[in-house]
Amino acid sequence: MKVERVLVVGAGAMGSQIAMLAALGGMRVHVHDAYPGALAAAEQALRGRVGRRVEKGQLSQSEMDDAFARLTFTPDLATGAADAQLIIEAIKEDLDAKSALFAELDALAPAEAILATNSSSITASLLGARTRRPGRVVNAHFFNPPLVMDCVEVVAHERLDPDVAPAVLDVCRRMGKAPVALPREVPGIVANRILSAIVREAAALTDGGFATVEAVDEICRNALGHPMGPFELLDMAGLDVNLQMQQLIFEQTGVDQDRPIPAVVDLVGHGRLGRKSGGGFYDYDEETSR
């Protein structure tokens, strides 16, 4: 199965950029969002991002124009789903919202269509159980921002049809990405579980008085070669977003080591969400300088 028609549900930063990648890869793409103004904002942001690539000589003007010609922004979910071969969900990390969407997509999309979730914290088999096609529901986890980050985690599960993962991997490669095929699913997949382990240990070291937040971040940058320390990264991504991911993972596994990190729970409880709120593990000014 070679995918030529794609629907992306959710026109936020993740969804819109995934859709742009598919269009640049030669596929015909519909982008859907239920929120008024989201589609216009997404198109404007994409034209700015891709336009800068043209200015830098990374892309020709004709390649940009051709990609946008293959891209349709639609508020009607049924229109986008009607002939889609691959549907990629990129809405908020909420199990009830995703479950309802997958049930709706199952009713609207062709029987052979693949339904992919961009979630790393919610497994595809859990969402697939809400449909009549569990074998055609898969995790395709892109990293933020998708136009820049090369990795995509494509995760198989016991009920997955054998043609699904190869088709999704092929789509990712045509997008110019470097997908990684994973044989079994686990909430958080690989990257976020490793990151969570680092953050958990970093928090334990600071709680125990072995190092300051600043020291941990400095050591991770200068000794381990990380672009950012774990606390800097959490502040940038949003502590509330990280806490939501931790909670979703723990709800699925029930394992003590997956419980939300107390330091993150405490900061979010005090309204310290990271850069966007002016403070998290660090304090920030209006220009988000630390």
Side-chain angles (χ1 to χ4, degrees):
M1 177 181 179
K2 184 170 183 179
V3 173
E4 301 292 354
R5 299 181 301 279
V6 177
L7 165 65
V8 178
V9 181
M14 289 297 295
S16 61
Q17 290 186 43
I18 292 169
M20 191 75 246
L21 287 168
L24 287 167
M27 288 157 270
R28 185 162 62 83
V29 188
H30 281 87
V31 187
H32 165 77
D33 201 291
Y35 289 95
L39 295 171
E43 182 173 7
Q44 182 179 9
L46 285 176
R47 288 194 178 276
R49 282 180 174 272
V50 181
R52 286 190 289 276
R53 289 192 172 192
V54 174
E55 292 170 3
K56 295 176 182 178
Q58 298 170 343
L59 197 71
S60 71
Q61 185 64 53
S62 63
E63 287 173 322
M64 174 178 168
D65 293 342
D66 289 346
F68 273 98
R70 291 188 287 268
L71 197 56
T72 301
F73 297 85
T74 177
D76 182 14
L77 183 61
T79 298
D83 67 346
Q85 295 169 291
L86 170 64
I87 301 176
I88 302 174
E89 167 271 313
I91 66 170
K92 62 182 179 179
E93 286 292 274
D94 181 279
L95 178 57
D96 291 338
K98 287 183 188 289
S99 296
L101 174 61
F102 271 75
E104 186 176 8
L105 291 171
D106 187 39
L108 293 173
E112 70 278 4
I114 298 168
L115 308 183
T117 176
N118 184 52
S119 177
S120 69
S121 53
I122 300 172
T123 59
S125 60
L126 186 58
L127 295 173
R130 270 59 171 188
T131 74
R132 297 164 297 177
R133 63 179 88 195
R136 305 199 71 72
V137 180
V138 66
N139 277 89
H141 177 230
F142 291 76
F143 291 82
N144 191 28
L147 281 168
V148 176
M149 300 294 284
D150 285 334
C151 189
V152 184
E153 294 172 314
V154 179
V155 191
H157 54 84
E158 290 182 355
R159 301 187 68 182
L160 193 66
D161 292 348
D163 65 316
V164 170
V168 175
L169 289 165
D170 176 65
V171 166
C172 293
R173 293 187 186 107
R174 287 155 63 198
M175 289 176 171
K177 301 293 104 177
V180 180
L182 300 171
R184 295 177 59 192
E185 62 182 9
V186 61
I189 317 184
V190 173
N192 280 341
R193 290 193 70 85
I194 291 173
L195 177 60
S196 292
I198 292 171
V199 171
R200 199 172 301 279
E201 183 62 20
L205 289 168
T206 57
D207 288 347
F210 300 103
T212 63
V213 165
E214 293 85 355
V216 168
D217 280 347
E218 184 176 352
I219 289 169
C220 286
R221 289 195 308 272
N222 297 334
L224 303 181
H226 295 185
M228 285 185 172
F231 298 114
E232 294 172 307
L233 183 59
L234 284 179
D235 273 1
M236 183 186 72
L239 296 177
D240 54 333
V241 174
N242 180 264
L243 177 57
Q244 184 181 40
M245 180 189 73
Q246 291 179 34
Q247 289 170 331
L248 284 168
I249 291 173
F250 178 65
E251 287 169 9
Q252 292 172 85
T253 68
V255 176
D256 279 345
Q257 70 180 31
D258 290 334
R259 289 183 182 277
I261 298 167
V264 175
V265 174
D266 183 58
L267 286 168
V268 172
H270 285 85
R272 294 181 65 85
L273 311 182
R275 289 188 184 184
K276 61 187 175 185
S277 70
F281 284 100
Y282 296 96
D283 291 313
Y284 301 87
D285 61 22
E286 291 182 358
E287 285 75 39
T288 69
S289 297
R290 207 166 70 204

